[in-house]
Amino acid sequence: MNNLQRVQLETKGVKLDQSELSIYLQENDLQPFDEYNPQSATNKRNIYRSALSVLESIASSPDTMKSYKMDDITIRDFHAKVLNQIDNLERKIRQMKTDDQLKGESNFFMLFAD
């Protein structure tokens, strides 16, 4: 799976061209057709940042909001759900660490010092 496919997984239901998704990925330091590395904390964090950028652009576009009306969901409900997802992603991204931060961590700490 490449980075483009992974961000499409994260933004299911959002219809964007591959070229648009590629720009979001490149803005977050990822190449669209590079292999996705799930063991890399930095790669995973940048995927979530890209998904967040996509959702923020949808939430700030009135034209996009007009076109979303499905079954029992009104535009207001959809907008509230998008904003809720944005908040959740922001919280998750803030809590995630990069590869560099994980390298410096240790499970050992000094409880008492001289």
Side-chain angles (χ1 to χ4, degrees), residues 1-51:
M1 173 181 293
N2 61 32
N3 290 325
L4 184 63
Q5 292 167 327
R6 178 61 181 94
V7 82
Q8 285 173 330
L9 254 174
E10 198 60 40
T11 57
K12 276 186 182 172
V14 176
K15 305 288 185 226
L16 289 176
D17 294 334
Q18 281 190 352
S19 59
E20 292 176 31
L21 284 175
S22 296
I23 291 171
Y24 287 116
L25 286 166
Q26 290 169 356
E27 287 174 348
N28 289 291
D29 302 323
L30 291 171
Q31 294 304 313
F33 298 104
D34 285 356
E35 191 68 22
Y36 172 66
N37 181 6
Q39 282 75 36
S40 170
T42 302
N43 198 356
K44 189 174 183 179
R45 186 172 191 235
N46 288 344
I47 289 289
Y48 284 130
R49 286 175 50 207
S50 300

Side-chain angles (χ1 to χ4, degrees), residues 11 14 50-60 82 85-86 89:
T11 57
V14 176
S50 300
L52 178 63
S53 297
V54 169
L55 291 178
E56 286 174 339
S57 68
I58 288 172
S60 66
V82 168
Q85 183 63 24
I86 287 171
L89 270 175

Side-chain angles (χ1 to χ4, degrees), residues 12 20 34 41 44-45 66 73 80 91-94 102:
K12 276 186 182 172
E20 292 176 31
D34 285 356
K44 189 174 183 179
R45 186 172 191 235
K66 286 185 209 171
I73 297 177
R91 188 177 319 109
K92 185 183 280 190
I93 290 168
R94 277 195 307 270
L102 289 174

